[in-house]
Coordinates of all heavy atoms in Angstrom, one line a residue:
M1 N 42.4 83.5 57.1 CA 42.0 82.7 56.0 C 41.0 83.4 55.1 O 40.2 84.2 55.6 CB 41.4 81.3 56.4 CG 41.2 80.4 55.3 SD 40.8 78.7 55.8 CE 42.3 78.2 56.7
S2 N 41.1 83.2 53.8 CA 40.3 83.9 52.9 C 39.2 83.0 52.3 O 39.4 81.8 52.2 CB 41.1 84.4 51.7 OG 42.1 85.3 52.1
A3 N 38.1 83.6 51.9 CA 37.0 82.8 51.2 C 37.1 83.2 49.8 O 37.3 84.3 49.4 CB 35.7 83.2 51.8
L4 N 36.9 82.1 48.9 CA 37.0 82.3 47.5 C 35.8 81.6 46.9 O 35.6 80.4 47.2 CB 38.3 81.8 47.0 CG 38.5 81.9 45.5 CD1 38.6 83.3 45.0 CD2 39.8 81.1 45.1
S5 N 35.1 82.2 46.0 CA 34.0 81.6 45.3 C 34.4 81.3 43.9 O 34.9 82.2 43.2 CB 32.7 82.5 45.3 OG 31.7 81.9 44.6
I6 N 34.3 80.0 43.5 CA 34.7 79.6 42.2 C 33.6 78.9 41.5 O 32.8 78.2 42.1 CB 36.0 78.8 42.1 CG1 35.8 77.5 42.9 CG2 37.2 79.5 42.7 CD1 37.0 76.5 42.8
R7 N 33.6 79.0 40.2 CA 32.6 78.2 39.4 C 33.4 77.1 38.7 O 34.4 77.2 38.1 CB 32.0 79.1 38.3 CG 31.2 80.3 38.9 CD 30.5 81.0 37.8 NE 29.9 82.2 38.2 CZ 28.8 82.3 39.0 NH1 28.1 81.2 39.3 NH2 28.3 83.5 39.3
L8 N 32.8 75.9 38.9 CA 33.4 74.7 38.3 C 32.4 74.0 37.4 O 31.2 74.0 37.7 CB 33.7 73.6 39.4 CG 34.8 74.0 40.5 CD1 34.8 73.0 41.5 CD2 36.1 74.2 39.8
P9 N 32.8 73.4 36.4 CA 31.9 72.6 35.6 C 31.3 71.5 36.5 O 32.0 71.0 37.4 CB 32.8 71.9 34.5 CG 34.0 72.8 34.4 CD 34.2 73.4 35.8
E10 N 30.1 71.1 36.2 CA 29.4 70.1 37.1 C 30.2 68.8 37.1 O 30.3 68.2 38.2 CB 28.0 69.9 36.5 CG 27.0 69.2 37.5 CD 26.8 70.1 38.7 OE1 26.6 71.3 38.6 OE2 26.7 69.5 39.8
S11 N 30.7 68.4 36.0 CA 31.5 67.1 36.0 C 32.7 67.2 36.9 O 33.0 66.2 37.7 CB 31.9 66.7 34.6 OG 32.7 67.7 34.0
L12 N 33.4 68.3 36.9 CA 34.6 68.5 37.8 C 34.2 68.5 39.2 O 34.9 67.9 40.1 CB 35.4 69.8 37.3 CG 36.7 70.0 38.1 CD1 37.6 68.9 37.9 CD2 37.3 71.3 37.5
H13 N 33.1 69.2 39.5 CA 32.7 69.3 40.9 C 32.3 67.9 41.4 O 32.6 67.6 42.5 CB 31.5 70.3 41.0 CG 31.1 70.6 42.4 ND1 29.8 70.8 42.8 CD2 31.8 70.7 43.6 CE1 29.7 71.0 44.1 NE2 30.9 71.0 44.6
K14 N 31.6 67.2 40.6 CA 31.2 65.8 41.0 C 32.4 65.0 41.3 O 32.4 64.3 42.3 CB 30.3 65.2 39.9 CG 29.9 63.8 40.2 CD 29.1 63.2 39.0 CE 28.8 61.8 39.3 NZ 28.2 61.1 38.1
Y15 N 33.4 65.0 40.4 CA 34.6 64.2 40.5 C 35.3 64.7 41.8 O 35.8 63.8 42.5 CB 35.5 64.4 39.3 CG 36.7 63.5 39.3 CD1 36.7 62.1 39.3 CD2 38.0 64.1 39.4 CE1 37.8 61.4 39.4 CE2 39.1 63.4 39.4 CZ 39.0 62.0 39.4 OH 40.2 61.2 39.5
A16 N 35.4 66.0 42.0 CA 36.1 66.5 43.2 C 35.4 66.0 44.5 O 36.0 65.6 45.5 CB 36.1 68.0 43.2
K17 N 34.1 66.0 44.5 CA 33.3 65.5 45.7 C 33.6 64.0 45.9 O 33.8 63.6 47.1 CB 31.8 65.7 45.5 CG 31.4 67.2 45.7 CD 29.9 67.4 45.9 CE 29.1 67.0 44.7 NZ 27.7 67.4 44.8
E18 N 33.6 63.2 44.8 CA 33.8 61.8 45.0 C 35.2 61.5 45.5 O 35.4 60.7 46.4 CB 33.6 61.1 43.6 CG 32.2 61.1 43.2 CD 32.0 60.5 41.7 OE1 33.0 60.2 41.1 OE2 30.9 60.5 41.3
Y19 N 36.2 62.2 44.9 CA 37.6 62.0 45.3 C 37.8 62.4 46.8 O 38.4 61.7 47.6 CB 38.5 62.8 44.4 CG 39.9 62.3 44.5 CD1 40.4 61.3 43.7 CD2 40.8 62.8 45.4 CE1 41.7 60.8 43.7 CE2 42.1 62.3 45.6 CZ 42.6 61.4 44.7 OH 43.8 60.9 44.8
A20 N 37.2 63.6 47.2 CA 37.3 64.0 48.5 C 36.7 63.0 49.5 O 37.3 62.7 50.6 CB 36.7 65.4 48.7
L21 N 35.6 62.5 49.2 CA 34.9 61.5 50.0 C 35.8 60.3 50.2 O 35.9 59.8 51.3 CB 33.5 61.2 49.4 CG 32.7 60.2 50.2 CD1 32.3 60.8 51.5 CD2 31.4 59.8 49.4
N22 N 36.3 59.8 49.1 CA 37.2 58.6 49.1 C 38.5 58.9 50.0 O 39.0 58.0 50.6 CB 37.7 58.2 47.7 CG 36.6 57.6 46.9 OD1 35.6 57.1 47.5 ND2 36.7 57.6 45.6
E23 N 38.9 60.1 50.0 CA 40.1 60.5 50.8 C 39.8 60.9 52.2 O 40.7 61.1 53.0 CB 40.9 61.7 50.1 CG 41.5 61.3 48.8 CD 42.6 60.3 48.9 OE1 43.5 60.5 49.8 OE2 42.6 59.3 48.2
G24 N 38.5 61.0 52.5 CA 38.1 61.4 53.9 C 38.4 62.9 54.2 O 38.6 63.2 55.3
I25 N 38.3 63.7 53.2 CA 38.6 65.1 53.4 C 37.5 65.9 52.7 O 36.7 65.4 52.0 CB 39.9 65.6 52.8 CG1 40.0 65.3 51.3 CG2 41.1 64.9 53.5 CD1 41.3 65.8 50.6
S26 N 37.4 67.2 53.0 CA 36.4 68.1 52.4 C 36.8 68.5 51.0 O 38.0 68.4 50.7 CB 36.1 69.3 53.3 OG 37.3 70.2 53.2
V27 N 35.9 68.9 50.2 CA 36.2 69.4 48.9 C 37.1 70.7 49.0 O 38.0 70.8 48.3 CB 34.9 69.8 48.1 CG1 35.2 70.5 46.8 CG2 34.1 68.5 47.8
N28 N 36.9 71.5 50.1 CA 37.7 72.6 50.3 C 39.2 72.2 50.5 O 40.1 72.8 50.0 CB 37.2 73.5 51.5 CG 36.1 74.3 51.2 OD1 35.8 74.6 50.0 ND2 35.4 74.8 52.2
Q29 N 39.4 71.2 51.4 CA 40.7 70.7 51.6 C 41.3 70.1 50.3 O 42.5 70.3 50.1 CB 40.7 69.6 52.7 CG 40.4 70.1 54.1 CD 40.3 68.9 55.0 OE1 39.5 68.0 54.8 NE2 41.1 69.0 56.1
L30 N 40.6 69.4 49.5 CA 41.1 68.9 48.3 C 41.5 70.0 47.4 O 42.6 69.9 46.8 CB 40.0 68.0 47.6 CG 40.3 67.4 46.2 CD1 41.4 66.4 46.4 CD2 39.1 66.9 45.6
I31 N 40.7 71.0 47.2 CA 41.0 72.1 46.3 C 42.2 72.9 46.9 O 43.1 73.2 46.1 CB 39.8 73.0 46.1 CG1 38.8 72.2 45.2 CG2 40.2 74.3 45.4 CD1 37.4 72.9 45.1
S32 N 42.3 73.1 48.2 CA 43.4 73.8 48.7 C 44.7 73.0 48.5 O 45.7 73.6 48.2 CB 43.2 74.0 50.2 OG 42.2 74.9 50.5
T33 N 44.7 71.7 48.7 CA 45.9 70.9 48.5 C 46.3 70.9 47.1 O 47.5 71.0 46.7 CB 45.6 69.5 49.0 OG1 45.3 69.5 50.4 CG2 46.8 68.6 48.8
A34 N 45.3 70.7 46.2 CA 45.6 70.7 44.7 C 46.2 72.0 44.3 O 47.2 72.1 43.5 CB 44.3 70.4 43.9
L35 N 45.7 73.1 44.8 CA 46.2 74.4 44.4 C 47.6 74.6 45.0 O 48.5 75.1 44.3 CB 45.3 75.6 44.9 CG 45.7 77.0 44.6 CD1 45.9 77.2 43.1 CD2 44.7 78.0 45.2
A36 N 47.8 74.2 46.2 CA 49.2 74.3 46.8 C 50.2 73.5 46.0 O 51.3 73.9 45.8 CB 49.1 73.8 48.3
E37 N 49.8 72.3 45.6 CA 50.7 71.4 44.8 C 51.0 72.1 43.4 O 52.2 72.1 43.0 CB 50.1 70.1 44.6 CG 50.1 69.2 45.8 CD 49.4 67.9 45.6 OE1 49.1 67.5 44.5 OE2 49.2 67.2 46.6
K38 N 50.0 72.7 42.8 CA 50.2 73.3 41.5 C 51.1 74.5 41.7 O 52.0 74.7 40.9 CB 48.9 73.7 40.9 CG 49.0 74.4 39.6 CD 49.6 73.5 38.5 CE 49.6 74.1 37.1 NZ 50.1 73.3 36.1
L39 N 50.9 75.3 42.7 CA 51.7 76.5 42.9 C 53.1 76.2 43.2 O 54.1 76.8 42.8 CB 51.1 77.4 44.0 CG 49.8 78.1 43.6 CD1 49.2 78.8 44.8 CD2 49.9 79.0 42.4
S40 N 53.3 75.1 44.0 CA 54.6 74.6 44.3 C 55.4 74.1 43.0 O 56.5 74.5 42.8 CB 54.6 73.4 45.3 OG 55.8 72.9 45.5
A41 N 54.7 73.5 42.1 CA 55.3 73.0 40.9 C 55.6 74.2 40.0 O 56.7 74.2 39.4 CB 54.3 72.1 40.1
L42 N 54.8 75.2 39.9 CA 55.1 76.4 39.1 C 56.3 77.2 39.7 O 57.1 77.6 39.0 CB 53.8 77.3 39.1 CG 52.7 76.8 38.2 CD1 51.4 77.7 38.4 CD2 53.0 76.6 36.8
A43 N 56.3 77.3 41.1 CA 57.4 78.0 41.7 C 58.7 77.2 41.5 O 59.8 77.9 41.2 CB 57.1 78.1 43.2
T44 N 58.7 75.9 41.5 CA 59.9 75.1 41.2 C 60.3 75.3 39.8 O 61.6 75.5 39.6 CB 59.6 73.6 41.5 OG1 59.2 73.5 42.9 CG2 60.8 72.8 41.2
E45 N 59.4 75.3 38.9 CA 59.8 75.6 37.5 C 60.4 76.9 37.3 O 61.4 77.1 36.6 CB 58.5 75.5 36.6 CG 58.7 75.5 35.1 CD 57.5 75.4 34.3 OE1 56.5 74.7 34.8 OE2 57.4 76.0 33.2
D46 N 59.9 78.0 37.9 CA 60.4 79.3 37.9 C 61.8 79.3 38.5 O 62.8 79.9 37.9 CB 59.6 80.3 38.6 CG 58.3 80.6 37.9 OD1 58.1 80.3 36.7 OD2 57.4 81.2 38.6
Y47 N 62.0 78.7 39.6 CA 63.3 78.6 40.3 C 64.3 77.9 39.4 O 65.5 78.5 39.2 CB 63.2 77.9 41.6 CG 64.5 77.6 42.3 CD1 65.2 78.6 42.9 CD2 65.1 76.3 42.2 CE1 66.4 78.3 43.5 CE2 66.3 76.0 42.8 CZ 67.0 77.0 43.5 OH 68.2 76.8 44.0
L48 N 64.0 76.8 38.8 CA 64.9 76.1 38.0 C 65.3 76.9 36.7 O 66.4 76.9 36.2 CB 64.4 74.7 37.6 CG 64.3 73.7 38.7 CD1 63.6 72.5 38.3 CD2 65.7 73.4 39.3
E49 N 64.3 77.6 36.2 CA 64.5 78.5 35.0 C 65.5 79.6 35.4 O 66.5 79.9 34.6 CB 63.2 79.0 34.5 CG 63.3 79.7 33.2 CD 62.0 80.2 32.7 OE1 61.1 79.4 32.6 OE2 61.8 81.4 32.4
Q50 N 65.3 80.2 36.5 CA 66.3 81.3 37.0 C 67.7 80.7 37.2 O 68.6 81.4 36.8 CB 65.7 81.9 38.2 CG 64.5 82.7 38.0 CD 63.9 83.2 39.3 OE1 64.4 83.0 40.4 NE2 62.7 83.8 39.2
R51 N 67.8 79.5 37.8 CA 69.1 78.9 38.0 C 69.7 78.6 36.7 O 71.0 78.8 36.6 CB 68.9 77.6 38.9 CG 68.6 77.8 40.3 CD 69.8 78.5 41.1 NE 71.0 77.8 40.9 CZ 71.7 77.2 41.8 NH1 71.2 77.2 43.1 NH2 72.8 76.5 41.6
A52 N 69.0 78.1 35.8 CA 69.6 77.7 34.5 C 70.1 79.0 33.8 O 71.2 78.9 33.1 CB 68.5 77.1 33.6
K53 N 69.5 80.1 33.9 CA 70.0 81.3 33.3 C 71.3 81.8 33.9 O 72.1 82.4 33.2 CB 68.9 82.4 33.4 CG 67.7 82.3 32.6 CD 66.7 83.4 32.8 CE 65.5 83.2 32.0 NZ 64.5 84.2 32.2
R54 N 71.6 81.4 35.1 CA 72.8 81.8 35.8 C 74.0 80.9 35.4 O 75.2 81.2 35.6 CB 72.7 81.8 37.3 CG 71.8 82.9 37.8 CD 71.8 83.0 39.3 NE 71.9 81.7 39.9 CZ 71.7 81.5 41.2 NH1 71.3 82.5 42.0 NH2 71.7 80.3 41.8
G55 N 73.7 79.7 34.9 CA 74.7 78.7 34.5 C 75.4 79.0 33.3 O 75.0 79.9 32.5
S56 N 76.6 78.4 33.1 CA 77.3 78.6 31.8 C 78.1 77.3 31.6 O 78.4 76.6 32.5 CB 78.3 79.8 31.9 OG 79.4 79.5 32.8
R57 N 78.4 77.1 30.3 CA 79.2 75.9 30.0 C 80.6 76.0 30.6 O 81.1 75.0 31.1 CB 79.3 75.9 28.4 CG 80.0 74.7 27.9 CD 79.2 73.5 28.0 NE 79.8 72.3 27.5 CZ 79.3 71.1 27.4 NH1 78.1 71.0 27.8 NH2 79.9 70.1 26.9
K58 N 81.1 77.2 30.7 CA 82.5 77.3 31.2 C 82.5 76.9 32.7 O 83.4 76.2 33.2 CB 83.0 78.8 31.1 CG 84.4 79.0 31.6 CD 84.8 80.4 31.3 CE 86.2 80.6 31.9 NZ 86.7 81.9 31.8
K59 N 81.5 77.4 33.5 CA 81.4 77.1 34.9 C 81.2 75.6 35.1 O 81.8 74.9 36.0 CB 80.2 77.8 35.6 CG 80.4 79.3 35.8 CD 79.2 79.9 36.4 CE 79.3 81.4 36.5 NZ 78.0 82.0 37.1
F60 N 80.4 75.0 34.2 CA 80.1 73.5 34.3 C 81.4 72.8 34.0 O 81.8 71.8 34.8 CB 79.1 73.1 33.2 CG 79.0 71.6 33.1 CD1 78.4 70.8 34.0 CD2 79.4 71.0 31.9 CE1 78.2 69.5 33.9 CE2 79.3 69.6 31.7 CZ 78.7 68.9 32.7
E61 N 82.2 73.1 33.0 CA 83.4 72.5 32.7 C 84.5 72.7 33.8 O 85.2 71.7 34.1 CB 83.9 72.9 31.3 CG 83.1 72.4 30.2 CD 83.4 72.9 28.8 OE1 84.3 73.8 28.7 OE2 82.9 72.4 27.8
T62 N 84.5 73.8 34.4 CA 85.4 74.1 35.5 C 85.1 73.2 36.7 O 86.0 72.6 37.3 CB 85.3 75.6 35.9 OG1 85.7 76.4 34.9 CG2 86.2 75.8 37.1
A63 N 83.8 73.0 37.0 CA 83.4 72.1 38.1 C 83.7 70.7 37.7 O 84.2 69.9 38.6 CB 81.9 72.3 38.4
L64 N 83.4 70.3 36.5 CA 83.6 68.9 36.1 C 85.1 68.6 36.1 O 85.5 67.4 36.4 CB 83.1 68.7 34.7 CG 82.9 67.3 34.2 CD1 82.0 66.5 35.1 CD2 82.4 67.3 32.8
A65 N 86.0 69.5 35.8 CA 87.4 69.3 35.8 C 87.9 69.0 37.2 O 89.0 68.4 37.4 CB 88.1 70.5 35.3
Q66 N 87.2 69.3 38.3 CA 87.6 69.1 39.6 C 87.3 67.7 40.1 O 87.7 67.2 41.1 CB 87.0 70.1 40.6 CG 87.5 71.5 40.3 CD 86.8 72.5 41.2 OE1 86.2 72.2 42.2 NE2 86.9 73.8 40.8
V67 N 86.5 66.9 39.3 CA 86.1 65.6 39.7 C 87.3 64.6 39.3 O 87.8 64.7 38.2 CB 84.8 65.1 38.9 CG1 84.5 63.7 39.2 CG2 83.7 66.1 39.2
P68 N 87.7 63.8 40.3 CA 88.8 63.0 40.0 C 88.5 61.9 39.0 O 87.4 61.4 38.9 CB 89.1 62.3 41.4 CG 88.0 62.6 42.3 CD 87.2 63.7 41.7
D69 N 89.5 61.6 38.2 CA 89.3 60.6 37.1 C 89.7 59.2 37.7 O 90.9 58.8 37.6 CB 90.2 61.0 35.9 CG 89.9 60.1 34.7 OD1 88.9 59.4 34.7 OD2 90.8 60.0 33.8
V70 N 88.7 58.5 38.2 CA 88.9 57.2 38.8 C 88.0 56.2 38.2 O 86.9 56.6 37.7 CB 88.8 57.3 40.3 CG1 89.8 58.2 41.0 CG2 87.4 57.7 40.7
T71 N 88.3 55.0 38.3 CA 87.5 53.9 37.9 C 86.3 53.8 38.8 O 86.5 53.8 40.0 CB 88.2 52.6 37.8 OG1 89.4 52.7 37.0 CG2 87.4 51.4 37.3
P72 N 85.1 53.7 38.2 CA 83.9 53.6 39.1 C 83.9 52.3 39.9 O 84.4 51.3 39.5 CB 82.7 53.6 38.1 CG 83.3 54.1 36.9 CD 84.7 53.8 36.8
D73 N 83.3 52.4 41.1 CA 83.1 51.2 41.9 C 82.3 50.2 41.1 O 81.4 50.6 40.4 CB 82.4 51.6 43.2 CG 82.3 50.5 44.2 OD1 81.5 49.6 43.9 OD2 83.0 50.6 45.2
P74 N 82.6 48.9 41.2 CA 81.8 47.9 40.5 C 80.3 48.0 40.8 O 79.5 47.7 39.9 CB 82.4 46.6 41.0 CG 83.8 46.9 41.4 CD 83.7 48.3 42.0
L75 N 79.9 48.3 42.0 CA 78.5 48.4 42.3 C 77.8 49.6 41.5 O 76.6 49.6 41.4 CB 78.3 48.6 43.8 CG 78.8 47.4 44.7 CD1 78.6 47.7 46.1 CD2 78.0 46.1 44.3
D76 N 78.6 50.5 41.1 CA 78.0 51.6 40.3 C 77.6 51.2 38.9 O 76.9 52.0 38.2 CB 79.0 52.8 40.2 CG 79.1 53.5 41.5 OD1 78.2 53.4 42.4 OD2 80.1 54.2 41.7
H77 N 78.0 50.0 38.5 CA 77.6 49.6 37.1 C 76.3 48.9 37.0 O 75.8 48.6 36.0 CB 78.7 48.6 36.6 CG 80.0 49.3 36.3 ND1 80.2 50.0 35.2 CD2 81.2 49.3 37.0 CE1 81.5 50.5 35.2 NE2 82.1 50.1 36.3
K78 N 75.6 48.7 38.1 CA 74.3 48.0 38.1 C 73.2 49.0 37.8 O 73.2 50.1 38.0 CB 74.1 47.3 39.5 CG 75.0 46.2 39.7 CD 74.7 45.4 40.9 CE 75.6 44.2 41.0 NZ 75.3 43.3 42.1

């Protein structure tokens, strides 16, 4: 595990301490979790962007053409 020293505005630090206390976790755990969530969101965005670049209208239409043309189940209308 690594140690990292960061500078936070006093208001943000105060809010982080209050939130961590309410959640029953340490400020370190709160920041680690928040960073992990943010990095996960960024990685997901990158992944979807890369996948979108590989797509094409032609491939989409080819896949869509394989879907049977049937009347939807009545429960699908809700």
Side-chain angles (χ1 to χ4, degrees):
M1 189 170 295
S2 302
L4 177 66
S5 177
I6 61 171
R7 297 187 189 283
L8 298 174
E10 197 62 41
S11 60
L12 184 58
H13 187 215
K14 179 182 174 191
Y15 183 65
K17 286 195 298 189
E18 290 172 1
Y19 197 91
L21 182 63
N22 288 339
E23 291 294 309
I25 60 175
S26 69
V27 173
N28 282 347
Q29 288 174 305
L30 176 69
I31 291 172
S32 292
T33 301
L35 180 58
E37 289 176 8
K38 180 63 177 183
L39 292 175
S40 177
L42 291 171
T44 299
E45 187 178 329
D46 289 344
Y47 171 77
L48 292 174
E49 189 175 307
Q50 290 170 7
R51 287 292 307 244
K53 287 178 183 176
R54 293 189 321 197
S56 73
R57 183 72 178 184
K58 184 178 178 182
K59 289 179 185 177
F60 170 73
E61 289 175 353
T62 299
L64 194 58
Q66 296 177 17
V67 177
D69 187 16
V70 297
T71 304
D73 187 289
L75 294 176
D76 288 340
H77 290 282
K78 291 185 179 189

